[in-house]
Amino acid sequence: MTPDLSTPTTAARPPRFAVVVLAFVGIVVSLMQTLVVPLIPQLPSLLHTTATDASWIITATLLAGAVVMPIAGRLGDMFGKRRMLVISLALLVVGSVFSALTSSLGMMLAGRILQGLAMGAIPLGISILRDVLPREKVGPAVAAMSASMGVGGAIGLPVSALIAQNADWHVLFWAAAGLGVVSLVLVATILPESPVRTPSRFDFVGALGLAAGLIALLLPITKGASWGWTSPLTLGLFAAAALILVLWGILELRLASPLVDLRVSARPRVLFTNLASIAVGVAMYGMSLSFPQLLMAPTSTGYGLGLTMVQAGLAMAPGGIVMMLLSPVSARLTARRGPKTTLIIGAVVIGAGYVLAFFLIDAVWQIVAASMVIGAGIGLAYAAMPALIMGAVPPTETGAANGLNALMRSVGTSVSAAVMGMILANMTMSFGSVTVPSLAGFHVTFAVAIGSAAAALVLAALIPRSRSAVEEPPTNGTSSRSARRRVSSAA
């Protein structure tokens, strides 16, 4: 189908407002990932259920977010990215209200799934920036949008802990609903719609197949530790995932308008960027899982620093803030040296941060310093990934391509949670009547993160360099013919 590059009247609004609005949306959506972390120990009693069933409150949100990102991106390419962004935020508001009004597991799960579906806003926002901003502003804007994800996750923990300690736990969800409403109003009234459309039939079978395959893959990754890695359920789901995803890939290759264009995804520039995204996701989550436990462990363990949940969250916050402060640097580095160089440097900086943590974890300031170095590396890497993807795909496929890249990062964090959680659960020491991770366990998680950063470095080095005109966002007067000509010249 011929892409629709008509320009709506809202595109005349000042571009700077688009960047501010989308960065705010990124922070709000990312907050949903850490919203209930302070409640984890109390969830079984709060929801009148078992600890195993209560853990689905976390898992359901992660699974919903992973599944929705490529689907939301494709729907945005077809029907309008701002429209799908409004729908994503509306789901966040409804899910937050559901959760705020209940103390039952079923209703809470429904609310948390709806909150997870809002994660589609991330790739949609990045794609909107490419479509509506002048070329020279795309790099800094995408860097800021990418950094907002880290900021949301970093500030979510202390803010959520503070609210949970000083108010009824339902207030967390009312606050989330309020932030969602503000985001929804800003997007609906200020954000311009993308002028780039690809009218076609939506691939419902492909969407169902991808959702089934991802759930079958991610579910045993996130629950394998509790089910048992060799249990029939875990192994059966992994086998089902392999079968479903292979069949899904065969179907997608045969369709004229697939949910995910696998031929484009197989281009070396896209493929190696997505593989590097998985490695960066693994390295990133190691900090989120291990550092808070180190900070909150009792000092009598010999390594713990004895902080409260709020204090530990505040100690982690500077790492997220560094991501945002570094976004202009990321944009300038990408403009001068290219996104490949930015990703390589990001991987090196992430690895250096974990090397610092491996040797220096005796004081709070040392962990804060390590988290800031790692945060800087993640900020560089996250800013480079969308630029690499958008430089290799047609303008009419940026939503789906960014959604797939965001999915790869989600796969990385899920794998990291499983692997590093298993390490910390098995390398333990007895402390009074409880069992806590040993110092050696933390060192092994840091070593895994260093290895993941090294893998990201190698994969980034394999990305072909390209300075094609595909990297340029289409201007308001760009014709569909010239857009296709730029795409074909870079293929």
Side-chain angles (χ1 to χ4, degrees):
M1 300 293 291
T2 300
D4 177 10
L5 296 171
S6 59
T7 306
T9 56
T10 53
R13 294 186 183 276
R16 65 179 180 276
F17 291 127
V19 178
V20 173
V21 169
L22 287 172
F24 179 75
V25 168
I27 292 173
V28 170
V29 171
S30 299
L31 279 171
M32 300 305 108
Q33 302 295 308
T34 55
L35 186 69
V36 299
V37 170
L39 298 177
I40 289 176
Q42 292 82 37
L43 279 177
S45 60
L46 293 175
L47 299 176
H48 314 291
T49 187
T50 64
T52 300
D53 289 341
S55 67
W56 284 101
I57 300 301
I58 302 292
T59 304
T61 306
L62 296 175
L63 289 176
V67 168
V68 78
M69 283 186 284
I71 296 174
R74 179 60 177 161
L75 288 170
D77 288 335
M78 294 171 58
F79 302 113
K81 300 179 181 74
R82 186 183 68 166
R83 180 179 299 174
M84 292 309 304
L85 187 55
V86 167
I87 293 173
S88 297
L89 293 171
L91 292 174
L92 186 153
V93 173
V94 173
S96 299
V97 172
F98 275 14
S99 300
L101 292 174
T102 188
S103 295
S104 69
L105 177 63
M107 192 76 164
M108 180 65 68
L109 273 176
R112 290 290 289 163
I113 289 172
L114 290 173
Q115 285 184 322
L117 293 177
M119 285 301 293
I122 301 295
L124 288 168
I126 291 173
S127 299
I128 289 173
L129 291 173
R130 181 203 186 173
D131 293 346
V132 304
L133 295 181
R135 178 187 178 188
E136 66 275 6
K137 293 183 179 293
V138 171
V142 169
M145 180 69 182
S146 299
S148 70
M149 294 184 284
V151 174
I155 68 175
L157 187 60
V159 171
S160 299
L162 192 61
I163 293 175
Q165 286 186 8
N166 295 280
D168 179 81
W169 63 279
H170 291 94
V171 173
L172 282 173
F173 297 101
W174 286 119
L179 290 171
V181 169
V182 172
S183 300
L184 186 59
V185 171
L186 289 174
V187 168
T189 59
I190 294 178
L191 191 68
E193 176 61 278
S194 164
V196 181
R197 299 277 184 91
T198 311
S200 61
R201 298 182 63 180
F202 181 68
D203 179 15
F204 286 101
V205 176
L208 290 174
L210 179 62
L214 288 175
I215 291 173
L217 174 65
L218 295 176
L219 198 53
I221 289 176
T222 55
K223 305 295 286 186
S226 58
W227 291 347
W229 291 106
T230 58
S231 70
L233 180 58
T234 301
L235 296 177
L237 283 171
F238 276 131
L243 177 62
I244 293 170
L245 291 175
V246 167
L247 294 176
W248 171 80
I250 294 172
L251 172 66
E252 294 296 282
L253 288 172
R254 293 183 176 182
L255 295 178
S257 299
L259 178 73
V260 177
D261 191 332
L262 295 180
R263 290 182 177 86
V264 173
S265 301
R267 292 176 182 174
R269 189 173 172 87
V270 179
L271 177 62
F272 286 118
T273 299
N274 283 333
L275 292 176
S277 298
I278 296 176
V280 171
V282 172
M284 180 198 72
Y285 200 77
M287 173 179 67
S288 302
L289 191 64
S290 59
F291 283 14
Q293 293 190 62
L294 272 170
L295 291 165
M296 292 186 293
T299 55
S300 52
T301 60
Y303 64 80
L305 297 168
L307 301 188
T308 66
M309 172 68 80
V310 175
Q311 291 171 332
L314 290 172
M316 295 295 293
I321 295 172
V322 165
M323 295 184 204
M324 181 62 77
L325 295 178
L326 204 64
S327 61
V329 177
S330 304
R332 286 196 293 270
L333 180 61
T334 297
R336 291 185 178 183
R337 301 295 183 183
K340 174 180 176 175
T341 299
T342 305
L343 180 55
I344 289 174
I345 294 175
V348 171
V349 174
I350 292 171
Y354 278 109
V355 170
L356 182 65
F358 195 95
F359 294 103
L360 297 174
I361 52 172
D362 298 327
V364 173
W365 72 266
Q366 293 174 349
I367 296 180
V368 171
S371 71
M372 292 174 69
V373 174
I374 296 169
I378 293 170
L380 290 168
Y382 271 20
M385 291 170 192
L388 285 163
I389 294 295
M390 292 188 296
V393 303
T396 52
E397 296 181 16
T398 53
N402 278 319
L404 183 62
N405 182 251
L407 168 62
M408 294 300 103
R409 280 177 267 171
S410 181
V411 169
T413 57
S414 297
V415 170
S416 180
V419 172
M420 298 195 184
M422 180 176 61
I423 292 170
L424 294 177
N426 286 279
M427 301 184 68
T428 60
M429 59 183 288
S430 297
F431 176 70
S433 59
V434 298
T435 301
V436 297
S438 65
L439 182 59
F442 287 111
H443 281 151
V444 171
T445 62
F446 297 155
V448 171
I450 293 169
S452 298
L457 172 62
V458 172
L459 290 166
L462 293 174
I463 298 172
R465 290 192 181 273
S466 174
R467 298 187 61 84
S468 72
V470 174
E471 296 181 5
E472 300 178 23
T475 60
N476 293 343
T478 301
S479 68
S480 60
R481 180 179 300 175
S482 62
R484 289 194 300 271
R485 199 161 48 233
R486 289 199 307 270
V487 171
S488 63
S489 67

